[in-house]
Each structure stands twice: as C-alpha cells, then as structure tokens.
C-alpha cells in the first residue's frame, strides 16, 4: 500500500502515555491529586460550585475504559466495535482510554485522594474501537460514534486522528444532527503537521494544547481549524488496574474540553450543541495575536467564564447561526447542578426554541438524560 494511504487509513491516538508498568500504583492515590496541575490552572474548586456534569453522558471511543476506583459509579455499559470484538467497552490494556475517561469524569476518593476529572458527576460511555497497538480502522471509530448516537450521548470525546472515510464523515454528521457536542484532538507534532480529521471537520471542536505556563505546547499542531486550547503537557489521570498515568498531547486537552462541554450541558440543559461550542470559544482567554489565531484558536478555555458569562447567542452576532437557536445567557441555567428545574426565563428560552420548531430533539434528549440519576461522589 502507498505509505501515505496507509497513514491516513488508520486511527492514531493523539497523545502519549507512560506505559502502565511505569504508572503510579494504587497506593499512590493520595499523591496523584497534587500532580494534576491542570485542576488549579482551570480553577476547578470554583467550577465545582457551578456545575459537576450531573445527568450528562460523554462517549469515549478509544482503547476502552478499565473500571477504576476513581471512576466507580460513573462507567456505563458500552461496546467493543473492533471487528470480532464482543465486549462492553469496560476493558483497557493500553491505558489511553482509561486516562481520557478519568480526565473527564473521575471523582477521586475520600480525603482528597485519587484523580479528579473536569465533570466528576458525568457518566462515561466506553467504546473500544482501537486495539492495543494504538492503530485502528476509521470505520471502527465511525461504528463507535454511531453507537454513541443510538445511546443518547450528549458529548463525544475523540482523542485521536483518523482518515476521513465516507462512513466516518457520515457518522460525524449524524452525531451533529442528533445535537451531540463532538470534540476532537487537533493532532500532535510530529508526526502531524496540521489539524487532522475529525477535528478538521466543520462543526467539530478542534482542540490544541498549552503547557503549565499557559503558552502553546510544542507538541500541539497549529492551523486555521484550531478552536480552543487546554492543558496538554504532563497530564496525570487514571490508568488500568487501579494505577495512574502521565500523558502529553492533544488527547489530554481534548478530554478536558469534553469535560468542559459536559459541565455546560449540565448547567444549561436546553442549550443546542452549537451554542455549547460557542460558549466555550466566546469565553476563552485570548492568547497570541489578538483575536483568533492558528496556535490558540479563540484561546485557553475558561471554565468559570463558560459557566457564568452572559454570552449572546450565535444568531445575535453571526448570520451563519442556525435559525431559532435559543439564548445562551445564564438566565437559561438550572439552579445549581441538580437538574431540579429551570428559572422562569430559562423556560421562556425553551419556549423560544420550541416556537422556532427546532427544540423537540433537544427536549427529548434532555428528558432521557434526566431519567438517569447522578452517581454518588466520594472525596
């Protein structure tokens, strides 16, 4: 096969992890929290008071997710879509998928032990679509996305780059049509030299990375398709067999942004997927050249601002906004993070969406999500 075609016909995980044998063992659960530098960087203590992702399902098509104590209660029954596979997605001998799931929804343990994710009350839908060697078939990723759509996922986190097969393109569009927020890794340099598919697809949130100093990470590719950036260097998370891992790459940044999307979907349950993405980009902290640039996109994600800012809807400033998109202001938020009911203005927002004839899918999906009570958290 032509080497170029061979390269684009497979899935490549967009991040590097320490081998599991080098990961921190279970007894070091009391040390891992201090290594998660990205949590104070993102002001996670303030974020917890605003939203923890309750009622949101995040699909993770990856190497599977191994049941980890820090994910207990947050891991749903998923699937294995590798040809010949028959599992439920709750296994991982690579560590990559478990790490991504932990960055999104780990809840840690008591006394500040264990790893914490961005949205510790969210549920993870594990999808094993990439074998142990880290290379898979784009159609397997497509199958995983199709599964996520049928299971009512709210967010799909894709920490990989892949060839743009016809089926995969169709699956991405189907997820967008189902009002799912799709987040994908921009890619790592080398071997990537620009934003790869599916991050390059229109409507997908393309995620780049920054280091501890908040500046562009050398591993993160650049280009006009980058939307936002998040921590991507020396990121600690969960691994298989109750261990922990350290990773560098846009994989980690993508999982963090997927967690941010889960926080927004939980606090603003009537917000369409495009407006969730808009809220992330509109509140990002500008870096580099003023305005959007190829290194940082719209900037570094700001979780507190994304959950509290009064953000005008896309239609207010852009003629490309979908007709009838509802307001994205904080007035439409649920009180707290328990899903206990919207404010009067929030219900009015829903009425606007319904009147425009585009709200039925959003409401139906939120009702299904509300039927699933949030897991208990132990810290």
């Amino acid at each position: 096969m032509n080497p170029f075609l061979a390269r684009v016909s497979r899935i490549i995980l967009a991040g590097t992890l320490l081998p599991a044998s080098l990961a921190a063992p279970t007894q070091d659960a009391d040390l891992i929290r201090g290594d998660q530098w990205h949590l104070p960087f993102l002001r996670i203590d303030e974020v917890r008071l605003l939203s923890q992702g309750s009622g949101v399902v995040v699909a993770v098509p990856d190497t599977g997710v191994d049941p980890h104590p820090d994910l207990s209660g947050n891991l749903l029954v998923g699937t294995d879509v590798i040809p010949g596979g028959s599992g439920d997605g709750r296994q991982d001998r690579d560590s990559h998928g478990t790490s991504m799931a932990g960055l999104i929804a780990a809840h840690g343990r008591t006394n500040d032990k264990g790893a914490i994710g961005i949205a510790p009350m969210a549920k993870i839908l594990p999808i094993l679509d990439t074998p142990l060697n880290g290379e898979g078939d784009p159609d397997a990723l497509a199958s995983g996305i199709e599964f996520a759509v049928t299971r009512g996922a709210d967010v799909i986190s894709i920490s990989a780059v892949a060839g743009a097969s016809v089926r995969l393109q169709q699956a991405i569009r189907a997820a967008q049509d189902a009002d799912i927020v799709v987040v994908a890794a921009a890619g790592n340099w080398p071997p990537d030299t620009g934003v790869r598919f599916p991050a390059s697809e229109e409507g997908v949130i393309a995620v780049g990375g920054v280091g501890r100093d908040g500046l562009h990470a050398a591993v993160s590719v650049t280009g006009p398709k980058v939307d936002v950036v998040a921590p991507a260097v020396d990121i600690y998370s969960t691994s298989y067999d109750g261990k922990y891992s350290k990773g560098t790459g846009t994989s980690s940044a993508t999982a963090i942004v997927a967690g941010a999307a889960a926080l927004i979907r939980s606090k603003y349950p009537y917000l369409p997927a495009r407006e969730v993405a808009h809220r992330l980009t509109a509140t990002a902290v500008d870096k580099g050249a003023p305005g959007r640039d190829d290194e940082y996109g719209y900037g570094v994600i700001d979780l507190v601002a994304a959950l509290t800012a009064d953000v005008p809807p896309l239609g207010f400033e852009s003629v490309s906004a979908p007709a009838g998109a509802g307001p994205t202001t904080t007035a439409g938020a649920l009180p707290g993070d328990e899903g206990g009911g919207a404010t009067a203005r929030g219900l009015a927002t829903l009425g606007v969406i319904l009147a425009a004839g585009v709200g039925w899918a959003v409401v139906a999906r939120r009702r299904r999500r509300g039927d699933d009570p949030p897991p208990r958290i132990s810290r």
Side-chain angles (χ1 to χ4, degrees):
M1 177 182 289
N2 181 290
F4 174 76
L5 293 179
R7 181 168 181 261
V8 299
S9 65
R10 64 188 189 230
I11 297 170
I12 302 176
L13 301 175
T16 57
L17 296 173
L18 285 175
S21 60
L22 300 179
T26 304
Q27 57 264 34
D28 287 338
D30 58 339
L31 303 177
I32 193 70
R33 193 76 59 86
D35 289 325
Q36 291 189 290
W37 67 266
H38 65 282
L39 298 179
F41 179 90
L42 295 169
R43 297 185 290 165
I44 205 67
D45 287 341
E46 295 178 59
V47 172
R48 286 182 192 169
L49 302 177
L50 301 168
S51 176
Q52 295 191 34
S54 64
V56 176
V57 173
V58 182
V60 180
D62 210 292
T63 61
V65 180
D66 196 64
H68 190 286
D70 297 356
L71 284 165
S72 176
N74 286 5
L75 195 57
L76 302 173
V77 175
T79 188
D80 178 347
V81 298
I82 295 176
S86 59
D88 62 6
R90 294 184 291 187
Q91 57 179 319
D92 178 15
R93 303 313 302 173
D94 178 278
S95 182
H96 194 274
T98 307
S99 177
M100 299 306 106
L103 289 173
I104 296 167
H107 50 61
R109 310 183 199 182
T110 57
N111 301 320
D112 289 329
K113 295 183 179 180
I116 284 287
I118 299 300
M121 277 185 148
K123 295 288 187 71
I124 296 293
L125 182 67
I127 300 168
L128 201 169
D129 72 343
T130 308
L132 184 60
N133 64 8
E135 297 181 5
D137 181 356
D139 283 351
L141 175 57
S143 180
I145 293 171
E146 292 160 1
F147 177 83
V149 172
T150 64
R151 292 302 187 276
D154 301 285
V155 180
I156 299 177
S157 181
I158 306 173
S159 289
V161 297
S165 73
V166 172
R167 183 179 176 186
L168 182 52
Q169 290 175 306
Q170 292 173 339
I172 294 290
R173 285 194 291 270
Q176 294 171 334
D177 290 343
D179 192 44
I180 299 174
V181 179
V182 182
V183 186
N188 296 332
W189 185 92
D192 305 317
T193 58
V195 179
R196 295 282 304 280
F197 191 87
S200 60
E201 182 76 353
E202 188 69 27
V204 174
I205 302 175
V207 182
V210 294
R212 293 172 183 258
D213 56 5
L215 300 179
H216 177 257
V219 71
S220 179
V221 300
T222 62
K225 290 288 188 177
V226 175
D227 290 310
V228 292
V229 292
V233 178
D234 295 337
I235 306 299
Y236 285 82
S237 186
T238 47
S239 182
Y240 61 72
D241 293 339
K243 299 176 183 179
Y244 298 93
S245 62
K246 180 175 75 171
T248 289
T250 54
S251 274
S252 299
T254 298
I256 290 170
V257 172
L263 296 178
I264 296 171
R265 298 225 89 163
S266 180
K267 188 169 180 64
Y268 301 94
Y270 305 127
L271 210 58
R274 286 192 60 182
E275 293 290 353
V276 173
H278 174 53
R279 180 166 278 273
L280 280 169
T281 58
T283 58
V285 178
D286 193 17
K287 293 277 189 175
R292 201 219 150 269
D293 63 78
D294 288 354
E295 284 190 330
Y296 299 94
Y298 290 95
V300 182
I301 60 167
D302 185 334
L303 302 183
V304 174
L307 293 168
T308 60
D310 196 12
V311 180
L314 274 169
F316 184 79
E317 296 176 340
S318 171
V319 294
S320 62
T328 66
T329 64
T330 54
L334 295 183
D337 191 38
E338 304 306 317
T343 62
R345 286 186 64 189
L347 291 174
T349 295
L350 175 60
V352 171
I353 298 174
L354 288 172
V358 298
W360 64 270
V362 178
V363 177
R365 282 171 33 74
R366 296 298 168 263
R367 285 175 179 166
R368 289 203 304 275
R369 191 175 69 189
D371 291 339
D372 191 11
R376 300 176 69 88
I377 293 183
S378 61
R379 290 195 180 89

